[in-house]
Amino acid sequence: MTSKAILAGGCFWGMQDLIRKQPGIISTRVGYSGGDVPNATYRNHGTHAEAIEIEFDPAKISYRKILEFFFQIHDPTTVNRQGNDLGTSYRSAIFYLDDEQKAIAEDTIADVNASGLWPGKAVTELSPAGPFWEAEPEHQDYLEKYPNGYTCHFIRPDWVLPKRAA
C-alpha cells in the first residue's frame, strides 16, 4: 500500500530532484496546489503554489521523515520566497491529506521552531489538500533533462532535526 504527500517549498524542479532520490519514494510529479484557479498551468496558476505530489511506501519512509527532509532542503522561514524566486508561487506549504498528516505536520513544524537550527520561525502554511493540477510535461523531471538547470534547493547538513527526548 502506498501513501501520498503534497508539499510546496519554492521552485518545484529542485524539490522534485532531491525528494525523488530518497529511499521509499515511489514516484513524484510537479504541479500546482493551494490556490484559486481551476486547471492551473505554468502561465496561469493564480494563487497556487508550485508543489510536488509524492507517492511513497510508508513501510520504507514515514511521512515524518519526508517532512524532516523537506525542511532540510528549503528555507521554511522566508515568506513567499526561496532563493531568488519571489511570490506566492514559491511559498512553503504542507497540504495534508488527512488528520494524521495534519498532526504530524504540526508536530514537525513545532520541532523545527523549537530546535533553533533554522534562521527563524517556520512560516510554512498548513492547509488541507485541494486539487493538484499536474504541471506541463516540460516541467516534469526537469533537472534530469537539464542537469545544469536552475535550482535553489540543496541539502543543508546543519538543518537536521534532533531526535526528541521521550
Side-chain angles (χ1 to χ4, degrees), residues 1-8 27 29 32-34 51-56 58 62-63 66-67 93-106 125-133:
M1 194 166 110
T2 63
S3 294
K4 278 196 174 137
I6 301 173
L7 305 174
S27 67
R29 63 184 184 136
Y32 315 98
S33 199
I52 176 170
E53 184 185 69
I54 303 156
E55 186 182 1
F56 65 98
S62 67
Y63 185 67
I66 291 170
L67 293 184
I94 298 169
F95 301 109
Y96 58 87
L97 294 153
D98 56 34
D99 289 341
E100 182 185 16
Q101 282 191 353
K102 180 183 182 187
I104 292 167
E106 288 171 339
E125 170 191 334
L126 185 57
S127 302
F132 180 87
W133 307 101

Side-chain angles (χ1 to χ4, degrees), residues 25 31 39 50 52 55 74 84 92 94 116 122 131 133 139-141 160 164-165:
I25 302 300
N39 305 306
E50 288 195 11
I52 176 170
E55 186 182 1
H74 87 290
N84 295 326
S92 175
I94 298 169
W133 307 101
H139 296 292
Q140 304 298 331
D141 311 311
V160 177
R164 185 190 301 182

